[in-house]
Amino acid sequence: MMGWDLKPAREHFPAFAEAWDRLNAELYASHPMFDSRFVGSLLEHFGNGDELLCIHHGAGSVDGALIVRPRGRGRWALFLPSQAQAGAVMLKNAKLLETLLLALPGYAWSLDLLSIDPLYSPDWTQLGLPRIVMPHANTMAISTRGDFAAYWQARPKNLRHNISRYLRRAKQVAGAISVHCFTKPNEIAEALKRYGVLESAGWKGEEGTAIAPDNAQGRFYTDMLGRFGATGQAMVMELHAGERLVASRLFIGHPTMWIALKTTYDETQSAFAPGRLLLHDMIERAFNEIPDGSIEFYTNATRDQADWATSLRPIPHHQILRNEPIATALITSKSLPHRLAKNQNRNAFDPLQIHSFPNVSSLPSSALELFEQAETRYPEFAAGWFDNLHRSVFAEDPGMRYYVAERAGKAVAILPVRLARYGLVRRVEALGNFYTSLYSPILGDDATEVELAALLETASRNHEGAHEMRFAPMDPEAPAYAATLAALRSIGWIPFRYFCFGNWHLPVSGSRQDYFQQREGQLRNTIKRKGKKFAAAGGTLEIITEPTQAEAAIADFIHVYSRSWKKPEPYPEFIPGLICWLAAKGWLRLGIARFGGQPIAAQLWIVAHGKAYIYKLAYDEAHAQYAPGTLLTAHLMEHTIDRDRVREVDYLIGDDEYKKTWMSNRRERWGIVAFNPRTFQGALQLPKQIIGQVIRLTREKKEAQAG
């Protein structure tokens, strides 16, 4: 049976544990905190009995599992006691959440997925439901790639100096320092008792939150560490000063990951920071025992803790809503804490910094590196593309901004935008125009909705509280599209999607002969017949690629364009600047058809990172009898398929009928328009959009029922 199967979690989880672990292994490389031994212990010791084990059966196997509990009328949340700092959402496809909300008892309108680690979570791209992302914590990790000496040398000088000073002081005031590791179940049980005694003597003991044999925490850690210890996957590390225990840490893990669960130290010995000395020894041990692995702390890192980290990342909450009208109602209500500063316990430290730059030349090196990564996905995501657009189109526009999100000094996301005014409306919009075939925020591999939301919030604030945002054209299948929708909702804006245009493209397989054999016979006959006629009349075809040819190529292109049916370029410097930039990058493929030595057709193609893009074309109508445009397209097709070995050819903007002749596949480009409901002008735009949204949802529902 396919679909969701919902069962009482405490009763049924033990029987499902094996399948749960298989899914964890497939999706998240057996993440220790998602292990059935960890989750099962949580259920046993902290479950209320109202938790539901949600199992989704796909074609022949389990492809989704999570545990949820009711949180109020129609609202559900991931089961996540405080002892688990990362929530397990085991889904092969996030789209499964759409049917989960329908399967939950009653009218489930909201599902809160708590403490979701972006490194171990579903791909949200396919989820069609509204999603709000709320910052929760900034965790830290230490990569054990390389050697410990190099890691330690890269730490801040003050940290290294302090650890040396603490070691000297410890020997002076407490005697010899030693570290002991316990991995056997009976050793772990005794070490845990000592841990509880040490923790109970400090501030946690006074607050009643320390581990003790007679409380739920003590029973949970004894049970869970015992289960992991049985397979050698648990460890307790102790630091002793002479015979005295002064610090202790609890771990679970596997061959490439340790998770630091809890730590405590003797507060009377804080003069030599025993907790830090133990941390130093623990990290050195990890470099030896799990090379090329990581230590995960799952904590809201302080500034001091961050000095030890090799990476920091946000751990946000995700709220999934049943439909767009509910999301709109929630965002416009006062119940949504939409300001980022109110959503997160920042613990007086946030590694995320937002900076604004007026042009590409002022960007820091890490931002330029991020652009270099992005250009491998699409040439219009390159810094050079934006620089040419900026110089040739928007040079006099004071609203140009490049907002950069830096985490711990490294750029992770860039938002190129214009702060524009249209009458009374202040709009933040994509840095692009009709020259732009695809736009996207520039997101690094480790970027999340948290950084993007901060960028959008800053852009709005800098525009005196913007009323509207508009980003187009975008790829609706790209992660950045889903992230932008979620980020806008997360700062209290109401986004709407809209169609821009169709995009015809060709996945390439085989040679040029294979390609033309798959085309219609009429096209093949036209190319053969017109090609002979053109060559017999002295016509020639060439492809310009080199920077030294760029100046002549620009003159030829302008000559053809001026004699074509197309309107004159409104920004005459854009295409020449683009040709020069493409030639310098090695991406230029400018086809020229000549007759009597004069150019009569020109096509500007871009070839970058295994793909060809047909950007702009024109021909002199006086020579239409030779079909020079068709011949030039065929010539460039041959070149890019056989010589450049491209994987795809993209015809970019529009559903023009002739594009179907050359291409085989169609996809769509969509945009996002969003309104700020807390402003008069923003709220004024909402009714029309909401009515359109309701009509669309009603139509889609009827079509689904009819289908």
Side-chain angles (χ1 to χ4, degrees), residues 241-427:
E243 298 297 320
R244 182 173 184 171
L245 175 63
V246 292
S248 181
R249 279 185 173 270
L250 312 180
F251 300 87
I252 56 174
H254 60 46
T256 59
M257 180 190 292
W258 285 0
I259 297 180
L261 298 173
K262 283 180 71 67
T263 183
T264 190
Y265 68 95
D266 187 339
E267 295 173 17
T268 67
Q269 304 299 309
S270 59
F272 61 88
R276 292 191 176 194
L277 294 182
L278 180 57
L279 175 60
H280 177 272
D281 274 49
M282 178 269 287
I283 296 170
E284 186 172 12
R285 183 185 182 98
F287 269 88
N288 292 325
E289 296 195 7
I290 52 168
D292 207 23
S294 68
I295 310 167
E296 296 289 348
F297 289 82
Y298 287 116
T299 183
N300 196 17
T302 65
R303 186 177 300 277
D304 288 342
Q305 289 173 324
D307 287 343
W308 298 81
T310 58
S311 64
L312 299 160
R313 64 182 184 274
I315 302 290
H317 300 320
H318 293 243
Q319 185 175 17
I320 313 299
L321 298 163
R322 189 180 182 107
N323 53 44
E324 298 283 357
I326 287 176
T328 299
L330 179 64
I331 292 170
T332 53
S333 74
K334 294 181 180 180
S335 63
L336 179 68
H338 51 261
R339 295 296 183 188
L340 293 179
K342 295 180 181 179
N343 282 338
Q344 184 177 6
N345 173 16
R346 295 185 183 274
N347 205 14
F349 170 66
D350 186 358
L352 181 64
Q353 300 293 323
I354 306 298
H355 306 283
S356 173
F357 300 92
N359 49 52
V360 168
S361 61
S362 63
L363 290 171
S365 59
S366 65
L368 294 175
E369 290 172 5
L370 197 57
F371 268 122
E372 288 178 4
Q373 295 173 22
E375 73 179 35
T376 64
R377 299 192 295 272
Y378 205 79
E380 293 181 31
F381 298 165
W385 169 274
F386 284 105
D387 189 43
N388 181 56
L389 184 70
H390 193 154
R391 292 172 183 271
S392 60
V393 178
F394 300 115
E396 304 303 321
D397 192 324
M400 297 296 98
R401 298 289 189 279
Y402 297 85
Y403 290 101
V404 178
E406 290 187 346
R407 186 172 291 279
K410 176 188 175 184
V412 295
I414 305 171
L415 184 68
V417 293
R418 288 181 66 221
L419 307 183
R421 289 178 180 267
Y422 298 89
L424 297 176
V425 175
R426 292 188 295 273
R427 181 194 292 174

Side-chain angles (χ1 to χ4, degrees), residues 71-191:
R71 203 175 186 179
R73 293 184 178 180
R75 189 170 182 178
W76 292 77
L78 199 65
F79 171 65
L80 194 76
S82 61
Q83 289 72 20
Q85 293 84 35
V89 180
M90 320 265 271
L91 301 173
K92 291 184 180 179
N93 190 328
K95 194 174 181 63
L96 297 177
L97 293 172
E98 298 174 13
T99 51
L100 176 59
L101 277 169
L102 299 176
L104 288 168
Y107 185 85
W109 61 271
S110 173
L111 176 60
D112 297 337
L113 303 178
L114 307 174
S115 298
I116 302 302
D117 186 342
L119 295 184
Y120 301 94
S121 65
D123 176 4
W124 302 107
T125 306
Q126 300 303 315
L127 179 65
L129 298 181
R131 181 168 54 98
I132 295 172
V133 180
M134 291 163 283
H136 167 61
N138 286 298
T139 192
M140 58 181 281
I142 297 173
S143 169
T144 57
R145 179 172 298 176
D147 61 78
F148 176 76
Y151 158 80
W152 190 239
Q153 190 59 36
R155 296 312 96 207
K157 184 177 180 180
N158 283 345
L159 174 60
R160 290 183 281 119
H161 171 75
N162 287 337
I163 292 300
S164 297
R165 182 165 54 89
Y166 292 144
L167 279 170
R168 291 193 300 270
R169 185 178 297 171
K171 293 177 181 178
Q172 292 170 358
V173 303
I177 297 295
S178 60
V179 175
H180 305 272
C181 295
F182 305 99
T183 58
K184 297 179 180 178
N186 61 325
E187 295 176 338
I188 290 173
E190 292 302 314

Side-chain angles (χ1 to χ4, degrees), residues 520-573:
E520 295 179 359
Q522 183 178 351
L523 176 63
R524 296 199 305 271
N525 291 335
T526 298
I527 295 170
K528 183 177 181 180
R529 181 167 45 86
K530 295 290 186 179
K532 287 182 178 179
K533 182 179 179 181
F534 184 61
T540 61
L541 302 172
E542 64 177 303
I543 298 174
I544 295 170
T545 62
E546 297 299 323
T548 55
Q549 302 171 296
E551 187 174 343
I554 291 169
D556 288 339
F557 187 91
I558 293 173
H559 175 86
V560 173
Y561 206 83
S562 66
R563 286 163 174 73
S564 73
W565 71 98
K566 296 192 173 184
K567 296 179 181 179
E569 287 287 343
Y571 302 100
E573 297 303 315

